[in-house]
Amino acid sequence: MEDYFALLNVPRRPAVNEEALKEHFLQLSAAAHPDRFHSAPAVERQQANARYAELNAAYNCLKEPKERLLHLYTLESGAKPADIQRIPPGTMDLFVEVGQTCRDVDGFLAERAKTASPLLKVRLFQQGMDWTDRLNALQQKVNGKRAELLAELETLSAAWENAPPPGAPGRAAALPLERLEQIYRVFSYAARWTAQIQERVVQLAI
C-alpha cells in the first residue's frame, strides 16, 4: 500500500499542517506535470501521468480528515476498520437529533407538495424558512463536533511523534489506534449528516 504521507513528504500523523501539505503537493506535482513531458518518449509520459495522478490522489486523501484517518489507520494496522454500523461514543444525541429533524422536514416537504391553496402556501413558506433555520443551526452543531475532533487530532499526533518508526516492533502498541478508528467513524457520520442536512436545505429552497 502506498504511503501518501511519505509520498508528499509530510509527517505520518493524524493532524497535518494544511499549508505545508499544499506546498509540498504543488512542488511535487509541478515537477511531474504531464505538460513537462509532452515531447518525452511514450514511456516517460506514461510514468509522468501515473505519478501526477498518484500525487493528486495522495493530496485529495490527506487534505480530508475522514480519508486521512482511514489511510493512516490502514497503514498502521495493516487492515481497514471493520465494516460495522455502531454509533461512535459521544455522538448518540446528535445522531438522534439529525435523524428526527430530517424525518420532520421530509414530512413537511410531503405536506407542502400536496398543497394547492395560495393561502396555505404562504403559511407553509414561512414554515419552510423556519425549518431552514433549524437545519442551519443543526449544521453548526455538526461543524462544532468536527472542530472538537480536529483539535483532538492535534493532541493524538504526539503519540505518533513519540512512537517507534514505521515497521519497528512495538509501534502499533504505542499508538492509540482504537481512538483513531472511533474518530474516523465520527467524521464519517458527520459527512453523512452534512449531506442529509444540505439535501433538505436545497429541497426547502425549491
Side-chain angles (χ1 to χ4, degrees):
M1 178 181 181
E2 181 71 57
D3 182 346
Y4 286 161
F5 295 93
L7 182 63
L8 293 181
N9 193 27
V10 294
R12 186 199 282 192
R13 58 203 294 268
V16 298
N17 183 310
E18 294 183 3
E19 291 185 3
L21 175 65
K22 185 175 182 179
E23 181 180 352
H24 289 187
F25 165 69
L26 291 176
Q27 290 176 349
L28 292 167
S29 61
H33 197 283
D35 288 349
R36 296 172 61 92
F37 297 86
H38 67 277
S39 59
V43 173
E44 289 188 30
R45 291 201 305 271
Q46 292 174 355
Q47 291 174 342
N49 287 336
R51 177 164 175 77
Y52 187 74
E54 192 171 37
L55 289 168
N56 274 278
Y59 178 66
N60 288 330
C61 173
L62 297 188
K63 73 177 182 178
E64 295 295 336
K66 178 174 75 77
E67 300 303 325
R68 180 172 70 247
L69 297 187
L70 174 60
H71 182 65
L72 179 59
Y73 181 90
T74 305
L75 284 174
E76 301 293 5
S77 68
K80 291 184 177 182
D83 186 16
I84 53 179
Q85 298 298 318
R86 66 168 179 253
I87 308 302
T91 61
M92 179 58 75
D93 289 347
L94 194 53
F95 177 86
V96 171
E97 184 176 3
V98 171
Q100 185 61 57
T101 302
C102 287
R103 286 191 293 272
D104 290 344
V105 171
D106 290 344
F108 168 78
L109 290 169
E111 178 187 359
R112 190 181 69 174
K114 296 184 296 185
T115 300
S117 167
L119 290 177
L120 284 178
K121 285 184 176 182
V122 171
R123 179 173 62 83
L124 291 176
F125 175 80
Q126 182 57 53
Q127 290 182 10
M129 297 290 288
D130 293 341
W131 277 118
T132 298
D133 289 342
R134 289 180 61 177
L135 287 171
N136 287 333
L138 188 54
Q139 181 64 63
Q140 290 304 310
K141 288 187 179 181
V142 175
N143 293 344
K145 173 59 70 173
R146 282 177 52 88
E148 290 177 12
L149 295 176
L150 289 173
E152 185 177 350
L153 292 183
E154 293 288 349
T155 302
L156 279 184
S157 290
W160 268 260
E161 294 167 1
N162 298 323
R171 177 176 173 84
L175 298 174
L177 296 181
E178 181 178 357
R179 181 55 184 159
L180 186 74
E181 180 184 0
Q182 291 174 348
I183 296 176
Y184 157 72
R185 293 188 185 282
V186 178
F187 273 115
S188 297
Y189 272 97
R192 192 179 311 169
W193 293 334
T194 293
Q196 292 170 344
I197 291 169
Q198 295 309 312
E199 177 186 359
R200 285 158 179 83
V201 168
V202 170
Q203 291 176 337
L204 286 167
I206 296 175

